[in-house]
Amino acid sequence: MTGSHPPSRSRIPGSGLAKGLAVTLRTMTKRAHTAQYPDVQPELPPRSRGVIGLFEENCTVCMLCARECPDWCIYIDSHKETVPAAVPGGRERSRNVLDRFAIDFSLCMYCGICIEVCPFDALFWSPEFEYAETDIRDLTHERDKLREWMWTVPAPPAPDPAAEEPKELAAARKTAEKLAAARAEAEQAPAAPDATGPAAPPAEGGQA
C-alpha cells in the first residue's frame, strides 16, 4: 500500500513579488550607513594587522625573523663592529650592526610569525593600511619606512583586573620584596663595635 501525500498548499499568484517589494520598501525608508572613506577614517580593532613596524634599537640582527618567515619576504644585511673593552685590561667584543631591514609586502601573508619569534620585541603590528602602490616593486619597504610605522602602533590594552598575574611580574615582585626586607633588617641591626677604636688603658702596675 502506497502512502498518500498531503495536498500541496495553493499559493496566491504574485505573493512572492509582493514580499520582495515589501522588503524593498522597508529598505528605502531606512537611513543608509555609508562609510565616508577616505574623508572619515574607519575605527579599526586594536589588534588589526596592517603593516609591521620596526623598533630598530631593539634589533640585534639575530636573523630569527628572516629564518622563520614562511614566505622569505624579510631581507636583513649587517656588519660586525668591534666594541672596545669597558674596563682597562678587559676583552674587546664584537656586535652586529644593522645595515638593512626590508619587508616585501607583496609576498607577506600577514601570519605574524616574525613578530612572535622576535626575542627582543623589535617588531610590532601597526593598524596602518594605506600603503597601496601602482607598482608591485614599490611594496618592498625599507627600515626607514618600517620605523615610521612603528609610531602608529597603538599602546597595549590594559590587563584584565580578573586575570592571573603574569609569572614574570610575580617573580620580580617577590624578589623586590625580599631585597626590601633584607635592607630593612640591615638598617635595624645594631652596629658592631669598631675594632679600630681607642686601645684600652693599661692595667695598674703594668708598663705604659
Side-chain angles (χ1 to χ4, degrees), residues 2-208:
T2 59
S4 59
H5 296 282
S8 58
R9 297 180 181 179
S10 60
R11 289 187 175 183
I12 300 176
S15 61
L17 178 61
K19 291 181 179 180
L21 291 175
V23 173
T24 303
L25 291 175
R26 286 197 305 267
T27 306
M28 291 176 60
T29 57
K30 293 182 180 179
R31 186 176 180 180
H33 297 279
T34 304
Q36 301 297 335
Y37 178 82
D39 297 330
V40 179
Q41 293 292 326
E43 296 183 1
L44 300 176
R47 300 183 65 183
S48 298
R49 297 189 176 188
V51 291
I52 298 173
L54 171 66
F55 192 56
E56 186 177 338
E57 287 77 4
N58 285 358
C59 181
T60 61
V61 200
C62 65
M63 305 294 292
L64 192 58
C65 57
R67 290 197 300 265
E68 296 296 331
C69 177
D71 294 331
W72 291 85
C73 64
I74 301 177
Y75 312 109
I76 301 176
D77 293 331
S78 65
H79 69 276
K80 288 187 177 294
E81 285 186 357
T82 301
V83 180
V87 295
R91 295 177 54 187
E92 295 182 346
R93 296 182 304 140
S94 63
R95 67 184 181 95
N96 293 323
V97 179
L98 184 66
D99 293 328
R100 185 194 183 200
F101 195 109
I103 299 178
D104 187 355
F105 285 96
S106 66
L107 297 177
C108 178
M109 63 180 183
Y110 304 89
C111 62
I113 292 179
C114 58
I115 298 176
E116 296 294 333
V117 301
C118 180
F120 302 103
D121 292 335
L123 298 174
F124 295 87
W125 277 120
S126 167
E128 182 66 33
F129 63 93
E130 297 177 319
Y131 58 98
E133 300 289 347
T134 57
D135 192 342
I136 193 173
R137 292 171 294 183
D138 295 333
L139 286 174
T140 300
H141 295 287
E142 301 292 334
R143 65 176 182 176
D144 294 336
K145 189 64 176 180
L146 301 179
R147 185 179 180 85
E148 291 180 10
W149 283 330
M150 180 63 207
W151 311 124
T152 63
V153 175
D160 188 357
E164 183 181 355
E165 184 180 20
K167 296 180 180 179
E168 296 82 0
L169 293 180
R173 179 174 50 79
K174 291 180 180 179
T175 303
E177 291 176 354
K178 290 181 180 179
L179 292 176
R183 192 178 300 110
E185 291 179 0
E187 292 176 354
Q188 295 178 358
D194 191 358
T196 62
E204 294 182 0
Q207 298 179 355

